[in-house]
Coordinates of all heavy atoms in Angstrom, one line a residue:
L1 N 17.1 -13.9 15.8 CA 17.3 -15.0 16.6 C 16.7 -14.9 18.0 O 16.9 -13.8 18.7 CB 18.8 -15.3 16.7 CG 19.2 -16.5 17.6 CD1 18.7 -17.8 17.0 CD2 20.7 -16.5 17.7
V2 N 15.9 -15.8 18.5 CA 15.3 -15.8 19.7 C 15.3 -17.2 20.4 O 15.2 -18.2 19.7 CB 13.8 -15.2 19.6 CG1 13.0 -16.1 18.8 CG2 13.2 -15.1 21.0
Q3 N 15.4 -17.2 21.7 CA 15.4 -18.5 22.4 C 14.0 -19.0 22.5 O 13.0 -18.3 22.5 CB 16.1 -18.3 23.8 CG 17.6 -18.1 23.7 CD 18.2 -18.2 25.1 OE1 17.5 -18.3 26.1 NE2 19.5 -18.2 25.1
A4 N 14.0 -20.4 22.6 CA 12.7 -21.0 22.8 C 12.0 -20.5 24.0 O 12.6 -20.3 25.1 CB 12.9 -22.5 22.9
G5 N 10.7 -20.2 23.9 CA 9.9 -19.6 25.0 C 9.8 -18.1 24.9 O 9.0 -17.5 25.6
G6 N 10.6 -17.5 24.1 CA 10.7 -16.1 24.0 C 9.6 -15.6 23.0 O 8.8 -16.3 22.4
S7 N 9.7 -14.3 22.8 CA 8.7 -13.6 21.9 C 9.4 -12.7 20.9 O 10.6 -12.3 21.1 CB 7.8 -12.7 22.8 OG 7.1 -13.4 23.7
L8 N 8.7 -12.4 19.8 CA 9.3 -11.6 18.8 C 8.1 -11.0 18.0 O 7.0 -11.6 17.9 CB 10.1 -12.4 17.8 CG 11.0 -11.7 16.8 CD1 12.2 -11.1 17.6 CD2 11.6 -12.7 15.8
R9 N 8.3 -9.7 17.6 CA 7.3 -9.1 16.8 C 7.9 -8.7 15.4 O 8.9 -8.0 15.4 CB 6.7 -7.8 17.4 CG 5.6 -7.2 16.6 CD 5.1 -5.9 17.2 NE 6.0 -4.8 16.9 CZ 5.8 -3.5 17.1 NH1 4.6 -3.1 17.5 NH2 6.7 -2.6 16.8
V10 N 7.3 -9.2 14.3 CA 7.7 -8.9 13.0 C 6.7 -7.9 12.4 O 5.5 -7.9 12.8 CB 7.8 -10.1 12.1 CG1 9.0 -11.0 12.6 CG2 6.6 -10.9 12.1
S11 N 7.2 -7.0 11.5 CA 6.4 -6.0 10.9 C 6.5 -6.0 9.4 O 7.4 -6.6 8.9 CB 6.9 -4.6 11.4 OG 6.9 -4.5 12.8
C12 N 5.4 -5.5 8.8 CA 5.4 -5.4 7.4 C 4.9 -4.0 7.0 O 3.8 -3.6 7.4 CB 4.5 -6.5 6.8 SG 4.3 -6.4 5.0
A13 N 5.7 -3.3 6.3 CA 5.3 -1.9 5.9 C 4.9 -1.9 4.4 O 5.7 -2.5 3.6 CB 6.5 -1.0 6.1
G14 N 3.8 -1.3 4.1 CA 3.4 -1.1 2.8 C 3.7 0.3 2.2 O 3.6 1.3 3.0
S15 N 4.1 0.3 1.0 CA 4.5 1.6 0.4 C 3.6 1.9 -0.8 O 3.3 1.1 -1.6 CB 5.9 1.5 -0.1 OG 6.8 1.3 1.0
G16 N 3.3 3.2 -0.9 CA 2.8 3.8 -2.2 C 1.4 3.7 -2.5 O 1.0 4.4 -3.5
R17 N 0.6 3.0 -1.8 CA -0.8 2.8 -2.2 C -1.7 2.8 -1.0 O -1.3 3.0 0.1 CB -1.0 1.5 -3.0 CG -0.2 1.5 -4.3 CD -0.7 2.6 -5.3 NE 0.0 2.5 -6.6 CZ 1.2 3.0 -6.9 NH1 1.8 3.7 -5.9 NH2 1.7 2.9 -8.0
T18 N -3.0 2.6 -1.3 CA -4.0 2.6 -0.2 C -4.0 1.3 0.6 O -4.7 0.4 0.3 CB -5.4 2.9 -0.8 OG1 -5.7 2.0 -1.9 CG2 -5.5 4.3 -1.3
F19 N -3.1 1.3 1.5 CA -2.9 0.1 2.4 C -4.2 -0.5 2.9 O -4.4 -1.7 3.0 CB -1.9 0.4 3.4 CG -1.5 -0.7 4.3 CD1 -0.6 -1.7 3.9 CD2 -2.1 -0.9 5.6 CE1 -0.2 -2.7 4.8 CE2 -1.8 -1.9 6.4 CZ -0.8 -2.8 6.0
S20 N -5.1 0.4 3.3 CA -6.3 0.0 4.0 C -7.3 -0.8 3.1 O -8.3 -1.3 3.6 CB -7.0 1.2 4.6 OG -7.4 2.1 3.6
T21 N -7.1 -0.8 1.8 CA -8.0 -1.5 0.9 C -7.6 -3.0 0.8 O -8.3 -3.7 0.1 CB -7.9 -0.9 -0.5 OG1 -6.7 -1.0 -1.1 CG2 -8.3 0.6 -0.5
Y22 N -6.6 -3.4 1.4 CA -6.1 -4.8 1.3 C -6.3 -5.6 2.5 O -6.0 -5.1 3.6 CB -4.6 -4.8 0.9 CG -4.2 -4.2 -0.4 CD1 -3.6 -2.9 -0.4 CD2 -4.5 -4.8 -1.6 CE1 -3.3 -2.3 -1.6 CE2 -4.1 -4.2 -2.8 CZ -3.5 -3.0 -2.8 OH -3.2 -2.4 -4.0
V23 N -6.8 -6.8 2.3 CA -6.7 -7.8 3.4 C -5.2 -8.2 3.5 O -4.5 -8.3 2.4 CB -7.5 -9.1 3.0 CG1 -7.1 -10.3 3.9 CG2 -9.0 -8.8 3.2
M24 N -4.7 -8.3 4.7 CA -3.3 -8.7 4.8 C -3.1 -10.0 5.5 O -3.9 -10.4 6.4 CB -2.6 -7.6 5.7 CG -2.6 -6.2 5.1 SD -1.7 -6.1 3.5 CE 0.0 -6.6 4.1
G25 N -2.1 -10.7 5.1 CA -1.8 -12.0 5.7 C -0.3 -12.2 6.0 O 0.5 -11.5 5.4
W26 N -0.1 -13.2 6.9 CA 1.3 -13.6 7.2 C 1.4 -15.1 6.9 O 0.5 -15.9 7.2 CB 1.6 -13.4 8.7 CG 2.0 -12.0 9.1 CD1 1.2 -11.1 9.7 CD2 3.3 -11.4 8.9 NE1 1.8 -9.9 9.9 CE2 3.1 -10.1 9.4 CE3 4.5 -11.8 8.4 CZ2 4.2 -9.2 9.4 CZ3 5.5 -10.9 8.4 CH2 5.4 -9.6 8.9
F27 N 2.4 -15.4 6.2 CA 2.8 -16.8 5.9 C 4.2 -17.1 6.3 O 5.0 -16.2 6.5 CB 2.6 -17.1 4.3 CG 1.2 -17.1 3.9 CD1 0.5 -15.9 3.7 CD2 0.5 -18.3 3.6 CE1 -0.8 -15.9 3.2 CE2 -0.8 -18.2 3.1 CZ -1.4 -17.0 2.9
R28 N 4.5 -18.4 6.4 CA 5.9 -18.7 6.7 C 6.3 -20.0 5.9 O 5.4 -20.8 5.5 CB 6.1 -19.0 8.2 CG 5.4 -20.2 8.7 CD 5.5 -20.3 10.2 NE 5.0 -21.5 10.8 CZ 4.9 -21.8 12.1 NH1 5.3 -20.9 13.0 NH2 4.5 -23.0 12.5
Q29 N 7.6 -20.1 5.7 CA 8.1 -21.2 4.9 C 9.4 -21.7 5.5 O 10.4 -20.9 5.6 CB 8.3 -20.9 3.4 CG 8.6 -22.0 2.6 CD 8.3 -21.8 1.1 OE1 8.4 -20.6 0.7 NE2 8.0 -22.8 0.3
A30 N 9.5 -22.9 5.9 CA 10.7 -23.5 6.4 C 11.3 -24.3 5.3 O 10.6 -24.8 4.4 CB 10.4 -24.4 7.6
P31 N 12.6 -24.6 5.3 CA 13.2 -25.4 4.3 C 12.6 -26.8 4.1 O 12.3 -27.5 5.1 CB 14.7 -25.6 4.8 CG 14.9 -24.4 5.6 CD 13.6 -24.1 6.3
G32 N 12.3 -27.1 2.8 CA 11.6 -28.4 2.5 C 10.2 -28.4 2.8 O 9.6 -29.5 2.6
K33 N 9.5 -27.3 3.2 CA 8.1 -27.3 3.5 C 7.4 -26.3 2.5 O 8.0 -25.4 2.0 CB 7.9 -27.0 4.9 CG 8.4 -28.0 5.9 CD 8.0 -27.6 7.3 CE 8.5 -28.7 8.3 NZ 8.1 -28.3 9.7
E34 N 6.1 -26.5 2.4 CA 5.3 -25.6 1.7 C 5.1 -24.3 2.5 O 5.2 -24.3 3.7 CB 3.9 -26.2 1.3 CG 4.0 -27.4 0.3 CD 2.7 -27.9 -0.1 OE1 1.7 -27.4 0.5 OE2 2.6 -28.7 -1.0
R35 N 4.7 -23.3 1.8 CA 4.4 -22.0 2.4 C 3.1 -22.2 3.2 O 2.1 -22.6 2.7 CB 4.2 -20.9 1.4 CG 4.2 -19.5 2.0 CD 4.5 -18.4 0.9 NE 5.8 -18.6 0.4 CZ 6.4 -17.7 -0.4 NH1 5.7 -16.6 -0.7 NH2 7.6 -17.9 -0.8
E36 N 3.2 -21.9 4.5 CA 2.1 -22.1 5.5 C 1.4 -20.9 5.9 O 2.1 -19.9 6.3 CB 2.7 -22.8 6.7 CG 1.7 -23.1 7.8 CD 2.4 -23.6 9.1 OE1 3.7 -23.5 9.2 OE2 1.7 -24.1 10.0
F37 N 0.1 -20.9 6.0 CA -0.7 -19.8 6.4 C -0.5 -19.6 8.0 O -0.6 -20.6 8.7 CB -2.2 -20.0 6.1 CG -3.1 -19.0 6.8 CD1 -3.1 -17.7 6.3 CD2 -3.9 -19.4 7.8 CE1 -4.0 -16.8 6.9 CE2 -4.8 -18.5 8.4 CZ -4.8 -17.2 7.9
V38 N -0.3 -18.4 8.4 CA -0.1 -18.1 9.8 C -1.3 -17.3 10.3 O -1.8 -17.6 11.4 CB 1.2 -17.3 10.0 CG1 1.4 -16.9 11.5 CG2 2.4 -18.2 9.6
A39 N -1.6 -16.2 9.6 CA -2.7 -15.3 10.1 C -3.1 -14.4 9.0 O -2.4 -14.1 8.1 CB -2.2 -14.5 11.3
A40 N -4.3 -13.8 9.1 CA -4.8 -12.8 8.2 C -5.7 -11.9 9.0 O -6.2 -12.2 10.0 CB -5.6 -13.5 7.1

């Protein structure tokens, strides 16, 4: 939970394989909405 105007950093950890061989992306999904592209 963060207030409007604030900042947050989310992380994603990969396990077990050669992480560097993958393109990585972030998506988000709000209730009632399609999954939305955020960054890659």
Side-chain angles (χ1 to χ4, degrees):
L1 178 65
V2 61
Q3 291 191 351
S7 298
L8 197 67
R9 188 184 74 166
V10 291
S11 303
C12 177
S15 299
R17 298 297 183 273
T18 51
F19 182 81
S20 63
T21 66
Y22 298 103
V23 166
M24 298 297 299
W26 284 98
F27 291 77
R28 68 186 187 184
Q29 189 163 26
K33 296 185 178 180
E34 293 185 354
R35 194 162 295 190
E36 176 189 11
F37 172 72
V38 176

